[in-house]
């Protein structure tokens, strides 16, 4: 019987449990044995593998976090740690591994595949920073959480006639800021991909304030710079009382929305059927409305492209 291991790695994201559930149940449906690795690559190095069954993943589709646990593993990046991970797979007789995580985790998956393991990467991160897929699983739930928070911040900012700089996550990617800024009706967004817009943003706040605008919400991606420094500069140049709200880890937690449950379930299913079909390594993505299979190395060589069309919409309709 074919044996498959699944691990979740890197920053957790809403939808990880939906992926685990789908992978485990599809594997059993297809007649394979499925093992869960506890704690990402760290757990792989330490041999923390347990056989999973249909009932092991009951009642989790709606839960945030990951029942398997996750990690950022410096050991996995060392020769010693990596060799240990390969040895563990040999001991268990496992030749096929499904890695669910972000950009870093999938690069780790590529390394495993270069060592002769058949690996399938599942894009799971709130950041939406992978170029080969239109969306990573977890992104839309994080955007929803951020948008809800922006709406609450709007109330108090309006009441005091202030400005609020709302810092969102995303590492080097501005997508959470772009989407939540648009959906939350922010006046401006600041993203790492288009930092040149900063002077224009301050000028816009002065012009709109002079025109009678009562309060200002600006969504800034963490990768675009120091939010507190920007707030100081903004206050100095505009004279508007300016606060900062760092949304932080609330963006990672919570029940996955319908999109992330759907993506998690369909992509998880595809990961298993593909890895059982062929002795090769893949990344599963979602492009143009369809679940698609990519060669793992090729997928990771595709650069993420910033969505300037949405950015132009923000500029046109946010005042
Ligand atoms: P994410 O997957 O959310 O982007 P990280 O970038 O922290 O999170 O990556 C998760 C883990 O994947 C790292 O802690 C490391 O063990 C492994 N990893 C990241 N990049 C590489 C790489 N280039 N080669 C091998 N392993 C890597
Ligand atoms: O990759 C997901 C993410 O939440 C990023 O948006 C953020 O920069 C990072 O993880 C935070 O990582 P940690 O949980 O290690 O603090």
């Amino acid at each position: 019987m074919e044996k498959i291991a699944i691990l979740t790695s890197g920053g957790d994201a809403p939808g990880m449990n939906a992926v685990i559930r789908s992978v485990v149940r599809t594997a059993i449906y297809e007649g394979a044995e499925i093992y869960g690795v506890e704690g990402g690559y760290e757990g792989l190095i330490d041999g923390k593998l347990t056989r999973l069954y249909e009932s092991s993943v009951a009642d989790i589709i709606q839960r945030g976090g990951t029942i398997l646990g996750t990690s950022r593993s410096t050991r996995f990046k060392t020769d010693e740690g990596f060799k240990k991970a390969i040895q563990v797979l040999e001991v268990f007789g496992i030749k096929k591994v499904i890695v669910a995580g972000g950009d870093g985790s999938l690069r780790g998956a590529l390394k495993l595949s270069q060592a002769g393991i058949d690996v399938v990467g599942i894009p799971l991160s709130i950041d939406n920073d992978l170029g080969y897929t239109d969306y990573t699983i977890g992104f839309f739930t994080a955007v929803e959480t951020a948008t809800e928070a922006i709406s609450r911040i709007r109330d108090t900012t309006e009441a005091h006639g202030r400005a609020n700089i709302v810092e969102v996550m995303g590492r080097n990617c501005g997508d959470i800021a772009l989407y939540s800024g648009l959906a939350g009706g922010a006046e401006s967004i600041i993203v790492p991909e288009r930092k040149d817009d900063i002077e224009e943003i301050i000028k816009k706040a002065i012009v709109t304030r002079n025109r009678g605008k009562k309060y200002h919400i600006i969504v800034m991606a963490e990768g675009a710079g120091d939010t507190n420094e920007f707030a100081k500069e903004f206050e100095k140049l505009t004279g508007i009382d300016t606060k900062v709200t760092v949304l932080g880890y609330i963006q990672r937690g919570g029940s996955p929305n319908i999109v992330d449950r759907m993506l998690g379930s369909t992509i998880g299913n595809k990961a298993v059927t593909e890895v059982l079909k062929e002795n090769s390594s893949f990344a599963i993505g979602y492009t143009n409305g369809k679940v698609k299979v990519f060669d793992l190395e090729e997928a990771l060589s595709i650069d993420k492209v910033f969505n300037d069309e949405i950015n132009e919409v923000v500029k046109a309709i946010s005042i």
Side-chain angles (χ1 to χ4, degrees), residues 219-233:
V219 178
M220 182 163 173
E222 62 177 356
D226 186 320
T227 331
N228 287 305
E229 285 303 314
F230 173 72
K232 271 191 221 148
E233 187 72 2

Side-chain angles (χ1 to χ4, degrees), residues 149-170:
I150 292 164
S151 302
R152 288 168 190 266
I153 292 161
R154 179 185 285 283
D155 293 343
T156 171
T157 308
E158 180 181 16
H160 285 265
R162 286 172 171 159
N164 208 304
I165 315 302
V166 184
E167 182 186 306
V168 296
M169 279 186 168

Side-chain angles (χ1 to χ4, degrees), residues 266-281:
T266 52
I267 290 177
N269 171 271
K270 194 68 162 177
V272 175
T273 53
E274 284 303 312
V275 83
L276 288 175
K277 212 191 297 174
E278 268 186 70
N279 294 335
S280 193
S281 291

Side-chain angles (χ1 to χ4, degrees), residues 59-84:
D59 199 26
I60 64 166
I61 194 169
Q62 77 285 7
R63 283 167 58 190
T66 157
I67 60 159
L68 291 175
T70 184
S71 63
R72 303 208 192 263
S73 171
T74 41
R75 281 198 296 160
F76 187 72
K77 285 183 154 182
T78 66
D79 284 350
E80 200 189 340
F82 184 75
K83 272 188 202 144
K84 182 82 196 310

Side-chain angles (χ1 to χ4, degrees), residues 240-253:
I240 301 164
D241 182 17
T242 304
K243 302 288 177 188
V244 172
T245 308
V246 179
L247 294 188
Y249 293 95
I250 64 160
Q251 294 160 96
R252 288 234 297 253

